[in-house]
C-alpha cells in the first residue's frame, strides 16, 4: 500500500511538473526616457514595463511603447507581435508597421535563454526588418524588447 501510494505521488508530481514546466519571460528595456512599455494580450494589459513571466505558452501577445499616442492595441505605434511557446510551431516574433500601426519609436527584440542573438531591430520608418518573423524553436525562451535603440 505504501509503495503504490508513493508511486502514485511520484507519477502525479511528474505530471504536474510537466504541465507547469513551461515558462517564458518578457523583459522591457526602455531607453527613451519617456513612455510606458505595454504588453497586451486579447485587450488585457499584462505588463506596463515590469518583467512579465508566464507559466505556460504566451500566444499572440503584442508590445509597444505607450507614448500617449498609441491605442490599447498599439494603433499608431511601432508594434511587436510575439508568441512564445514550447513545441508546436515554436516561438515567433515580428515587428509590424502595417496600418493601423505606424512607426513611433525605434524598437527591437531579441530572444534570451535560448536562440540568443536571434532578433530584429526596427530603426526607422522604412524598417526593412518588419514583416519578417524571427522564429525560435528552443523551449522556455524569453524575449527582451528595447525601445529607443
Ligand atoms: C491614431 O491617430 C489618428 C490621427 O492622429 C487619430 O485620429 C486616432 O484616434 C488614433 N488612434 C488611436 C487608436 O489612438
Amino acid at each position: 500500500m505504501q509503495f503504490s501510494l508513493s508511486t502514485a505521488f511520484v507519477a502525479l508530481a511528474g505530471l504536474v511538473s510537466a504541465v507547469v514546466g513551461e515558462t517564458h519571460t518578457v523583459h522591457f528595456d526602455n531607453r527613451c526616457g519617456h513612455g510606458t512599455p505595454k504588453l497586451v494580450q486579447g485587450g488585457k494589459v499584462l505588463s506596463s514595463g515590469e518583467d512579465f513571466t508566464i507559466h505556460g505558452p504566451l500566444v499572440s501577445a503584442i508590445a509597444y511603447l505607450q507614448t500617449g499616442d498609441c491605442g490599447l492595441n498599439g494603433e499608431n505605434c511601432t508594434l511587436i507581435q510575439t508568441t512564445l511557446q514550447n513545441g508546436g510551431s515554436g516561438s515567433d516574433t515580428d515587428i509590424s508597421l502595417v496600418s493601423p500601426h505606424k512607426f513611433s519609436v525605434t524598437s527591437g527584440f531579441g530572444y534570451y535563454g535560448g536562440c540568443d542573438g536571434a532578433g530584429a531591430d526596427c530603426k526607422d520608418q522604412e524598417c526593412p526588418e518588419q514583416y519578417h518573423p524571427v522564429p525560435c524553436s528552443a523551449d522556455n525562451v524569453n524575449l527582451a524588447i528595447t525601445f529607443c535603440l
Side-chain angles (χ1 to χ4, degrees), residues 12-24 53-57 86 140:
L12 185 65
L15 186 67
V16 168
S17 99
V19 169
V20 301
E22 182 172 0
T23 180
H24 306 278
T53 297
I54 189 166
H55 299 287
N86 298 353
N140 301 320

Side-chain angles (χ1 to χ4, degrees), residues 66-86:
Q66 179 55 274
T67 54
D69 297 328
C70 321
L72 174 63
N73 291 311
E75 296 93 335
N76 290 339
C77 292
T78 308
L79 191 78
I80 291 173
Q81 318 184 93
T82 189
T83 289
L84 303 176
Q85 63 182 355
N86 298 353

Side-chain angles (χ1 to χ4, degrees), residues 26-40 44-52 62-68 70-72 74 77-80 104-108 143-148:
V26 176
H27 172 77
F28 287 105
D29 182 7
N30 178 16
R31 302 177 184 168
C32 294
H34 63 86
T36 304
K38 293 286 179 185
L39 180 69
V40 177
K44 183 173 166 228
V45 176
L46 301 178
S47 167
S48 294
E50 66 281 7
D51 280 9
F52 174 79
I62 58 168
Y64 56 91
L65 185 71
Q66 179 55 274
T67 54
C70 321
L72 174 63
C77 292
T78 308
L79 191 78
I80 291 173
S104 54
V105 295
T106 56
S107 305
L143 191 72
I145 295 173
T146 304
F147 299 113
C148 292

